[in-house]
Amino acid sequence: MYELVIKNGTVVTAVATYQADIGIQAEKIAAIGTHLAGKREIDAAGKLVIPGAVDIHVHLQMPIGNFVSSDDFYSGTRAAAFGGTTSIVDFVEPHATESLLQALAARRAEADSRVVIDYGLHMTIGPEQMDILDQVSAAYAAGCGSFKLYMAYGLRLTDDQLYRALQAIRDVNGLPVVHAENWDMICQLIADNLAVSRTSPHWHPRSRPARMEGEAVGRVIDIATQVGTRIHIFHVTCAEAVQRIKKARQMGAAVTGETCPQYLLQTWDAYDQPGVEGALPVCAPPIRDEDQQNALWQALARGDLQVVTTDHCPFTRADKETGILANDFSQIPGGVPSIESRYAAVYAFGVRSGLLTLNQWVELCATTPARLAGFASKGDIIPGYDADLVIFDPQKTVTLSTDTLHENVDWTLYAGLEVQGWPTTTLSHGKVIVNDGQFLGAAGNGRFVPRFFN
Ligand code: DUC
Ligand code: ZN
């Protein structure tokens, strides 16, 4: 007799789809079989039973310039749980005066008592950390198995700095994750556009051309190959970048890439809306045209991109409006909310449309991100794994809006979008934390998960 049994559901993993009961004991998946009996039972007849989704790219309460992203570790992880996500990876961004371990401790102090689901942290290596690369091994030993490198913004590393940082990460067997854009070109194009009064958000994507994203992705892959390290490319938005990743993989390089719902569900026409509406979708790299959107779906279907994350980084309308009032699209804080709708959106527009199989959906949103980021017992339905599970109703239709979503932000990119298929029950460590629209979890119940690759 198990503590809990999920009965009669259709289990979907990255490799198989089958009818089975799942027995849960002491927070773990204890058995997968038929006619399992539990002290408590949940009937999942007509529903899919899938691994909790794993989102390895989120920015909660993240300071950018004068702004802080509006979802904190509680509201953001709660919204994630409503959407069937049971693990996230956020970021540590060390200050110049801190050691990597001090910065990790400070970020954990912000998160530990707030998170409702499990989480990990990528350690950011910026220009100010170039003199303390010898601390990379300590960060790794403390459970930051992955390291974020920027090729844009103030945290941008030059090619020689990328080379040195990648060597340090390689030496500890860490995973480098990279924001790849060509910052010098972007700065020049922004300046050129502003100089001729091209100040509206229309010029945001036109200052960050797909060709140059492809160049930056290719360049950092080449540097990683020179160093002899694997590498993961964040938020791929265009065919040019996909081609670089695909070519490197064909040559045997350990390169992976991800894209995000905003690039799969929106087009750059969104930047042409009047007033603040055109500022809301501003994120980097930018949302592109319909051909690029189709290329991303094809890349997911063919396996040329391996992961869907969110890059969830919400800013309020008031925050976004500052760039409109300043008459300068480059002043709009970049980032969009997606943390809650990712699993369902990829199902509705990937699986239901026939582009992806059920198994690819689970692989892209749960299994591969878990394996890639070093979550040893998540992202799959296997005895011994954490009982982080989702019961997903393929019939349930949700119209996305700020009324139906739980993200702490006063807009959504997907307002009015009808999504068929939605999680009805989310379990973290065998405990039901969301059921039929009710939140049953608690702040601090999530845990920091150390991630290693050795
Ligand atoms: N891009 C954004 O738009 N926001 C957060 C960070 C990033 O890379
Ligand atoms: Zn990001």
Side-chain angles (χ1 to χ4, degrees):
M1 179 83 73
Y2 298 98
E3 284 167 18
L4 175 65
V5 173
I6 301 174
K7 291 193 75 71
N8 309 316
T10 301
V11 176
V12 181
T13 71
V15 294
T17 306
Y18 55 96
Q19 295 293 126
D21 301 340
I22 298 179
I24 294 165
Q25 191 75 28
E27 303 189 352
K28 302 281 183 193
I29 298 169
I32 304 167
T34 49
H35 308 297
L36 301 184
K39 289 181 204 146
R40 255 187 78 211
E41 296 184 348
I42 301 175
D43 184 16
K47 312 257 173 63
L48 308 178
V49 182
I50 53 181
V54 178
D55 189 347
I56 62 169
H57 187 170
V58 307
H59 302 273
L60 303 177
Q61 57 190 83
M62 182 171 99
I64 297 190
N66 296 326
F67 307 100
V68 178
S69 61
S70 59
D71 259 320
D72 66 17
F73 278 104
Y74 176 69
S75 65
T77 55
R78 183 173 173 274
F82 271 105
T85 291
T86 52
S87 313
I88 57 160
V89 187
D90 201 282
F91 297 84
V92 184
E93 288 189 354
H95 301 299
T97 52
E98 286 176 313
S99 70
L100 298 187
L101 288 186
Q102 284 168 335
L104 171 61
R107 193 63 168 158
R108 283 198 56 183
E110 291 176 338
D112 282 347
S113 63
R114 308 281 296 153
V115 287
V116 312
I117 55 173
D118 286 359
Y119 80 104
L121 292 167
H122 303 290
M123 177 61 70
T124 305
I125 303 292
E128 286 167 339
Q129 282 69 51
M130 293 311 294
D131 293 336
I132 55 169
L133 289 176
D134 57 338
Q135 295 179 18
V136 161
S137 58
Y140 182 87
C144 286
S146 44
F147 296 83
K148 171 81 178 277
L149 309 177
Y150 280 93
M151 297 170 75
Y153 304 121
L155 292 172
R156 167 261 180 108
L157 299 182
T158 52
D159 290 354
D160 53 324
Q161 291 173 328
L162 283 171
Y163 179 66
R164 287 176 50 217
L166 287 169
Q167 284 177 318
I169 299 164
R170 173 205 62 195
D171 288 348
V172 299
N173 200 26
L175 173 72
V177 295
V178 183
H179 177 128
E181 287 191 288
N182 184 318
W183 188 233
D184 290 339
M185 284 292 292
I186 289 167
C187 291
Q188 188 58 49
L189 289 168
I190 290 173
D192 289 352
N193 283 322
L194 293 178
V196 292
S197 300
R198 293 169 168 174
T199 58
S200 74
H202 175 85
W203 296 100
H204 167 66
R206 290 158 180 87
S207 302
R208 305 175 100 104
R211 180 182 295 110
M212 300 319 304
E213 183 186 329
E215 183 279 331
V217 167
R219 177 157 40 98
V220 76
I221 290 174
D222 285 346
I223 298 171
T225 306
Q226 180 69 26
V227 167
T229 175
R230 64 200 159 132
I231 193 164
H232 178 65
I233 308 295
F234 269 172
H235 44 44
V236 170
T237 73
C238 58
E240 289 81 346
V242 170
Q243 282 310 318
R244 306 289 177 122
I245 293 168
K246 181 178 174 181
K247 187 159 164 246
R249 288 171 63 84
Q250 283 170 342
M251 304 281 282
V255 178
T256 49
E258 68 179 35
T259 190
C260 313
Q262 50 272 29
Y263 307 118
L264 295 166
L265 301 179
Q266 285 286 351
T267 64
W268 67 355
D269 298 346
Y271 296 120
D272 295 341
Q273 298 170 94
V276 70
E277 298 300 321
L280 300 180
V282 166
C283 59
I287 297 166
R288 304 197 188 275
D289 65 19
E290 201 178 334
D291 287 348
Q292 295 287 17
Q293 187 190 82
N294 290 334
L296 294 175
W297 279 113
Q298 290 303 325
L300 293 175
R302 294 189 184 134
D304 294 334
L305 292 175
Q306 295 73 37
V307 175
V308 179
T309 65
T310 62
D311 196 8
H312 179 78
C313 188
F315 293 100
T316 62
R317 281 175 174 274
D319 290 346
K320 291 277 188 176
E321 197 163 28
T322 54
I324 300 294
L325 296 174
N327 236 340
D328 179 349
F329 66 87
S330 74
Q331 300 295 316
I332 300 165
V336 299
S338 280
I339 203 167
E340 189 167 351
S341 44
R342 175 184 60 134
Y343 220 3
V346 177
Y347 174 82
F349 300 100
V351 178
R352 290 194 74 83
S353 68
L355 275 167
L356 304 175
T357 65
L358 279 172
N359 311 100
Q360 281 177 304
W361 167 53
V362 168
E363 189 176 29
L364 288 163
C365 296
T367 314
T368 302
R371 289 195 185 138
L372 186 68
F375 283 114
S377 56
K378 296 187 184 292
D380 208 342
I381 300 182
I382 298 176
Y385 268 44
D386 294 343
D388 290 0
L389 296 164
V390 168
I391 302 175
F392 188 89
D393 183 349
Q395 305 304 332
K396 183 172 169 156
T397 299
V398 172
T399 303
L400 301 181
S401 78
T402 49
D403 292 337
T404 51
L405 295 169
H406 302 81
E407 297 158 342
N408 182 39
V409 59
D410 51 359
W411 61 280
T412 170
L413 263 186
Y414 314 113
L417 194 69
E418 206 170 83
V419 172
Q420 190 179 340
W422 195 262
T424 54
T425 308
T426 303
L427 291 90
S428 170
H429 292 285
K431 185 175 180 304
V432 175
I433 58 169
V434 174
N435 193 39
D436 275 335
Q438 261 209 303
F439 181 65
L440 304 169
N445 278 5
R447 301 166 195 174
F448 175 73
V449 181
R451 297 170 298 111
F452 307 104
F453 300 98
N454 292 321

